[in-house]
Amino acid sequence: MTQRPLTTIGFDADDTLWQNEQFYRLTEQQFTELLADYAESENISQGLLETEKRNLRHYGFGIKGFTLSMIETAIEITEGKVPTTVVAQILDIGRDLLAHPVETLPHVRETLEALAGNYLLVLITKGDLFDQERKLAQSGLGDLFDAIEIVSDKNASTYRRIFSKVGDGPERAMMVGNSLKSDIVPALAAGSYGVFVPHELTWAFEHVEEPTEAPRFRKIGHLGELQGVIGGLG
């Protein structure tokens, strides 16, 4: 009896199932406007990115770490002279980001509904635990997943562990997501299929080259094309 080539499918959350980065961009724009008297917007944005990268090992991924990085950047840009009113406004826009309604992306629900029951579906996302749980609850998609994994980071060992625990191992699993760096490259390294679903906005930290030579790499235009890819695996 021939084994099915695929039994388990992992999905990223932010900018794969629902919008995320566009709200960070809007928040960053508000932040640069708050500091417009001290530096050019490009310099503020670059300073913020460098601060975020530096702070990932302390705060991890998510809105709370982003808010702390905005405050730290404001202190650096103003050479310690940032008014307390500006700090208060930064905290306000961070709270607004935490409360933003969830907007699911096209083809998400119908694709998950079509796959549920035929495959083990697992949500694999990194970020703040409370915020990711909030977004999942508001999305109404939670019941379609067999497992939820909120992790501090994503690497090959993360996918080996999750796909071995939830399914039949990484070789019979697929990871679907919008980040080549977090979702696709490490999943391929673990031995899984990796399906790249580009989003028009991707955080600069997540940019890497497409692994086009990897035999298990696939790329689709939107999630509605996923079933065709799965059907082509044999």
Side-chain angles (χ1 to χ4, degrees):
M1 189 172 180
T2 304
Q3 270 194 341
R4 295 171 67 194
L6 186 69
T7 63
T8 309
I9 306 174
F11 288 87
D12 172 53
D14 293 337
D15 294 319
T16 299
L17 302 182
W18 51 67
Q19 297 283 10
N20 181 65
E21 184 63 21
Q22 69 176 25
F23 306 128
Y24 275 86
R25 297 286 179 93
L26 290 171
T27 300
E28 183 178 326
Q29 182 179 336
Q30 290 177 277
F31 174 64
T32 60
E33 290 170 358
L34 285 175
L35 298 179
D37 290 340
Y38 299 93
E40 297 294 327
S41 60
E42 294 82 2
N43 294 335
I44 298 169
S45 292
Q46 185 59 39
L48 177 58
L49 177 60
E50 294 304 318
T51 304
E52 287 182 273
K53 290 179 180 178
R54 188 171 67 240
N55 284 339
L56 280 175
R57 65 190 180 94
H58 300 296
Y59 308 138
F61 296 88
I63 294 171
K64 293 174 185 175
F66 180 63
T67 303
L68 289 170
S69 291
M70 284 194 290
I71 293 172
E72 185 175 332
T73 302
I75 292 170
E76 292 175 352
I77 291 289
T78 64
E79 298 180 344
K81 300 173 185 175
V82 56
T84 55
T85 53
V86 170
V87 174
Q89 287 175 283
I90 292 171
L91 291 170
D92 283 342
I93 61 178
R95 277 190 287 266
D96 288 343
L97 193 56
L98 279 167
H100 203 283
V102 172
E103 297 180 16
T104 55
L105 288 161
H107 311 290
V108 167
R109 175 168 288 279
E110 56 263 42
T111 299
L112 292 177
E113 288 177 344
L115 296 173
N118 297 310
Y119 300 90
L120 292 168
L121 304 186
V122 53
L123 182 71
I124 307 174
T125 181
K126 62 187 180 184
D128 181 80
L129 175 64
F130 292 151
D131 187 42
Q132 295 302 81
E133 288 180 336
R134 173 190 70 85
K135 287 189 282 191
L136 179 60
Q138 286 190 12
S139 74
L141 302 173
D143 291 343
L144 297 171
F145 289 97
D146 297 285
I148 309 295
E149 295 282 343
I150 300 174
V151 298
S152 58
D153 202 359
K154 294 177 180 177
N155 51 45
S157 63
T158 303
Y159 292 115
R160 290 191 195 100
R161 174 181 62 80
I162 292 173
F163 289 140
S164 296
K165 179 178 73 171
V166 175
D168 302 304
E171 294 79 11
R172 298 177 70 194
M174 171 184 285
M175 184 61 192
V176 182
N178 74 292
S179 169
L180 288 165
K181 183 176 182 179
S182 293
D183 303 322
I184 306 307
V185 171
L188 293 171
S192 304
Y193 290 95
V195 180
F196 178 42
V197 193
H199 187 276
E200 60 183 353
L201 298 175
T202 301
W203 186 30
F205 183 74
E206 299 288 349
H207 289 174
V208 296
E209 292 297 316
E210 290 186 20
T212 53
E213 300 302 315
R216 288 194 159 202
F217 174 69
R218 304 289 190 276
K219 182 178 179 179
I220 56 179
H222 55 75
L223 216 56
E225 298 175 358
L226 181 61
Q227 291 180 79
V229 169
I230 295 170
L233 298 181

